[in-house]
Amino acid sequence: MDVFSNQRRAKKISVVTGGAGFLGSHLSDRLLEAGHQVIAIDNLLTGNVRNIEHLFGNADFRFIEHDVTNFIYLPGEIDYVFHFASPASPIDYLEFPIPTLKVGALGTHNTLGLAKAKGATYLIASTSEVYGDPLIHPQKEDYWGNVNPIGPRGVYDEAKRFAEAMAMAYHRYHRLDTKIVRIFNTYGPRMRLEDGRVVPAFIGQALANEPLTVFGDGSQTRSFCYVSDLVEGILRLSTSDTHNPVNIGNPTEMSIREFGEAIIKKMKTSSKLEFKPLPIDDPRIRQPDISLARELLDWEPKVDFDTGISQTIDYFRAFIESGQ
Ligand code: NAD
């Protein structure tokens, strides 16, 4: 019995772990649009079925509630495995340090095993956090990073570094077709207001006319990529023939203070900036060098900050008004 009861298979079949999360749900939408059948797997640790409920009537979509740190059995053929399951925001991985290490290690092993059994292409969602608090700027893929393995954030950074090593080992030893995307800060609809990431945090505080919490003096920088741009880059990477990591992100860099001021202006709120101590090991600078993505994937971000942030603000406004 196959997950999809196709008599003759016309469509690609993709597995998306973390499919009920922010990025996994957008990736599932985009794969369906591209004509794939999608099996989303998620244990709902930090995700929510709300993100995929619009897909429940779609004959090409299945949702399986499962923890991918346990063995994954799926009948039938599979063309792509996208491993996106993992707590992703500092609040989440500090609350779930061991599940974060497990999903990066055991979850990656299990999903690689699935891809190997099916002869599928494998793509792992890695992160700019593999660069840690970087000593070079902007960050290029050949930079090895500056990570504190035993600091509180090490559970996430090292899990992803292990996951990359595991994917490369499967590629080199088992000849699996693996891809590694190093995702830089991405934002958009379906983020969680309370996940601690700066975009939802500031928008939520501005909507409530509360002070916007800036950690440190706000001079630390981030580069924000809109979710549709990221997903386009991931799709292109999945069909490319590159196996080394590729940065996907938006190189337009701004300080957290500038970002807070932009939100206040855009949302015409009476909120002010409020400064709090910087958390331990918070990276000071972050900007992707995307020359490789430009060269290999002919990809670069298209959505400007004003457009992306407006769509995100609309989403959070509607979300709060719906009282969910
Ligand atoms: P998210 O928390 O919204 O989504 C992660 C999903 O994984 C959730 O739905 C969660 O329930 C699920 N999950 C966690 N552990 C699981 C397990 N053991 N089994 C099954 N499902 C599990 O986070 P996101 O922002 O969508 O991040 C998705 C992926 O992208 C993560 O791997 C993250 O590390 C990576 N990433 C995201 C960003 C970003 O800016 N959003 C940046 C870099 C990397």
Side-chain angles (χ1 to χ4, degrees):
M1 246 287 281
D2 289 2
V3 176
F4 295 104
S5 53
N6 291 347
Q7 293 303 317
R8 209 176 302 125
R9 204 153 81 76
K11 297 188 168 190
K12 299 277 184 211
I13 301 181
S14 287
V15 169
V16 179
T17 75
F22 163 48
L23 296 183
S25 65
H26 283 281
L27 177 61
S28 298
D29 286 346
R30 185 69 176 76
L31 288 166
L32 288 162
E33 267 169 46
H36 288 222
Q37 296 184 309
V38 173
I39 305 164
I41 306 182
D42 202 297
N43 67 350
L44 304 178
L45 181 67
T46 56
N48 198 304
V49 284
R50 192 171 54 225
N51 293 332
I52 44 170
E53 65 190 1
H54 60 287
L55 299 176
F56 284 162
N58 188 328
D60 287 329
F61 181 76
R62 296 283 184 280
F63 172 62
I64 299 172
E65 189 171 338
H66 179 72
D67 180 339
V68 298
T69 64
N70 297 318
F71 183 76
I72 307 164
Y73 170 73
L74 287 173
E77 294 172 68
I78 289 168
D79 300 290
Y80 292 92
V81 174
F82 295 88
H83 181 34
F84 276 62
S86 172
S89 81
I91 284 195
D92 289 340
Y93 57 73
L94 295 178
E95 184 181 356
F96 303 114
I98 295 168
T100 301
L101 282 158
K102 284 178 72 179
V103 77
L106 306 178
T108 301
H109 189 216
N110 286 332
T111 49
L112 280 163
L114 177 69
K116 177 170 169 273
K118 306 289 184 181
T121 292
Y122 183 87
L123 187 147
I124 172 97
S126 185
T127 168
S128 57
E129 301 296 333
V130 299
Y131 301 123
D133 192 359
L135 303 177
I136 65 146
H137 192 68
Q139 292 80 52
K140 250 180 144 55
E141 288 85 349
D142 58 6
Y143 176 53
W144 293 350
N146 178 36
V147 171
N148 174 3
I150 56 158
R153 300 173 70 108
V155 297
Y156 183 66
D157 306 358
E158 294 295 3
K160 291 292 184 181
R161 289 164 69 96
F162 176 88
E164 287 195 6
M166 188 71 131
M168 283 314 286
Y170 265 67
H171 171 63
R172 293 196 180 107
Y173 188 73
H174 291 305
R175 303 258 158 251
L176 196 69
D177 180 20
T178 57
K179 329 278 181 195
I180 299 170
V181 56
R182 289 192 181 147
I183 302 171
F184 283 67
N185 287 52
T186 301
Y187 72 98
R190 303 186 196 150
M191 296 184 92
R192 287 181 4 255
L193 271 176
E194 72 290 1
D195 81 358
R197 291 188 262 200
V198 67
V199 174
F202 279 4
I203 296 175
Q205 288 168 329
L207 285 171
N209 285 313
E210 287 168 4
L212 273 52
T213 313
V214 175
F215 293 104
D217 63 3
S219 62
Q220 70 274 34
T221 64
R222 296 293 181 269
S223 309
F224 299 111
C225 183
Y226 191 63
V227 62
S228 58
D229 280 335
L230 174 86
V231 168
E232 178 60 29
I234 287 169
L235 239 63
R236 289 184 189 207
L237 179 62
S238 70
T239 53
S240 75
D241 52 14
T242 186
H243 306 291
N244 286 329
V246 179
N247 289 339
I248 300 281
N250 191 323
T252 312
E253 188 181 11
M254 65 172 96
S255 73
I256 295 295
R257 179 194 277 268
E258 282 167 343
F259 176 53
E261 285 161 357
I263 289 284
I264 290 174
K265 193 160 162 226
K266 180 142 196 79
M267 297 179 67
K268 301 184 178 69
T269 158
S270 58
S271 303
K272 301 267 176 293
L273 301 183
E274 183 180 71
F275 295 88
K276 295 217 171 138
L278 199 62
I280 199 163
D281 295 333
D282 194 44
R284 284 170 299 108
I285 41 177
R286 185 63 93 230
Q287 190 201 75
D289 181 319
I290 57 165
S291 351
L292 201 60
R294 279 200 176 100
E295 182 193 320
L296 297 177
L297 314 176
D298 190 24
W299 175 89
E300 62 182 9
K302 297 265 183 288
V303 181
D304 61 54
F305 180 72
D306 201 51
T307 309
I309 209 71
S310 299
Q311 288 179 19
T312 311
I313 293 167
D314 289 349
Y315 167 81
F316 281 121
R317 197 170 269 134
F319 181 78
I320 289 171
E321 278 164 12
S322 75
Q324 291 192 65

